[in-house]
């Protein structure tokens, strides 16, 4: 599933190819995504220049003079830049055509979505109630500590709550808690201010590293062979249950929290 680093990498990958260019066509081969692709999308977009590609949580915002395309990659979506005449594959559901190039959405499981939003996209119901960006100034130890003490949930559940901070999915929650030395099952109201300081720092570091790794795969966004160009950064615990801890050598334990695989070191994480 594309997590925040993949979405940010996608943003950086596509923006240089498209910003400043005008939409010349919209091709919707299958409108049945998580929500139907708006019927009038072509009417809204054709002739308009793309002004910017922004990101909020795991949404991409394609900004046009009269509105914004709000795009989510869902469980299996990916975006590529292809030649406009490149034959579409079964799962290539939507193209935004910019002259000779097209931005092509592939989404085998069709949990992705496209909305057309006029006015301030931050007020759209999908975005309005989201917590701060993990790499932005709004996410700090004070706000995390306050949120932790308003709730009595597992530390990992806290971190994955998009009202607390957005874009920390299962993989990065596991990795961040390991780096901060905090057990995923620790009750959030037992997190100290110092724990929160370490956790904020760990979340930022883990996400920045993943984005940096993603940067080396940018070429994938202009490849036409269909590989989405996702990547796995240096994961220390996720997917490594039963292996030894890279710090202390203890055997990493696996448990389930909120239905999600959770891996931790019983010695390093308290
Ligand atoms: Zn350890």
């Amino acid at each position: 599933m594309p997590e925040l680093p993949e979405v940010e990498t996608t943003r950086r990958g596509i923006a240089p190819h498209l910003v400043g260019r005008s939409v010349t066509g919209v091709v919707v081969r299958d409108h049945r995504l998580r929500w139907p692709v708006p019927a009038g999308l072509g009417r809204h977009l054709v002739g308009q220049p793309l002004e910017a590609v922004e990101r909020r949580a795991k949404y991409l915002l394609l900004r046009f003079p009269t509105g914004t395309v709000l795009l989510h990659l869902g469980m299996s979506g990916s975006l590529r830049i292809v030649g406009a005449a490149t034959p579409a594959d079964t799962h290539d559901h939507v193209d935004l055509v910019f002259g000779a190039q097209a931005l092509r959405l592939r989404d085998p499981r069709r949990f992705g979505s496209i909305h057309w939003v006029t006015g301030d996209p931050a007020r759209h119901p999908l975005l309005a109630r989201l917590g701060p960006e993990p790499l932005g100034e709004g996410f700090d130890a004070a706000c995390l500590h306050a949120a932790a003490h308003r709730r009595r949930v597992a530390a990992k559940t806290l971190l994955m709550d998009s009202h607390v901070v957005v874009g920390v999915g299962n993989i990065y929650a596991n990795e961040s808690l390991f780096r901060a030395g905090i057990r995923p099952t620790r009750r959030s109201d037992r997190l100290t201010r110092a724990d929160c300081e370490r956790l904020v720092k760990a979340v930022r570091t883990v996400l920045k590293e993943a984005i940096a790794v993603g940067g080396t795969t940018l070429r994938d966004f202009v490849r036409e062979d269909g590989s989405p160009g996702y990547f796995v950064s240096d994961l220390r615990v996720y997917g490594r249950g039963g292996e030894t801890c890279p710090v202390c050598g203890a055997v990493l334990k696996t448990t389930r929290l909120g239905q999600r695989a959770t891996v931790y070191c019983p010695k390093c994480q308290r």
Side-chain angles (χ1 to χ4, degrees), residues 132-146:
E133 286 289 322
L135 300 174
E137 288 175 3
F139 179 55
D140 59 19
C143 86
L144 184 61
H145 191 247

Side-chain angles (χ1 to χ4, degrees), residues 245 248 265 268:
C245 170
C248 75
C265 173
C268 293

Side-chain angles (χ1 to χ4, degrees), residues 33-35 72-75 105 107 109-114:
L33 298 183
R34 181 169 181 184
W35 294 286
H72 197 283
L73 296 173
M75 308 284 285
L105 173 67
D107 189 357
R109 297 182 64 184
R110 292 195 279 110
F111 279 103
S113 64
I114 293 178

Side-chain angles (χ1 to χ4, degrees), residues 32-83:
R32 296 168 302 165
L33 298 183
R34 181 169 181 184
W35 294 286
V37 177
L41 193 61
R43 199 176 62 240
H44 293 307
L45 291 180
V46 170
Q48 290 208 65
L50 178 62
E51 295 181 320
V53 183
E54 297 167 0
R55 181 188 57 73
R56 174 75 173 106
K58 297 206 298 186
Y59 288 90
L60 287 170
L61 286 74
L62 309 183
R63 308 293 296 252
F64 293 94
T66 65
T68 303
V69 172
L70 192 59
L71 190 150
H72 197 283
L73 296 173
M75 308 284 285
S76 60
S78 61
L79 287 170
R80 286 172 303 138
I81 309 286
V82 298

Side-chain angles (χ1 to χ4, degrees), residues 178 245-250 252 265-269:
F178 176 75
C245 170
V247 172
C248 75
L252 296 175
C265 173
K267 270 176 92 175
C268 293
Q269 292 173 264

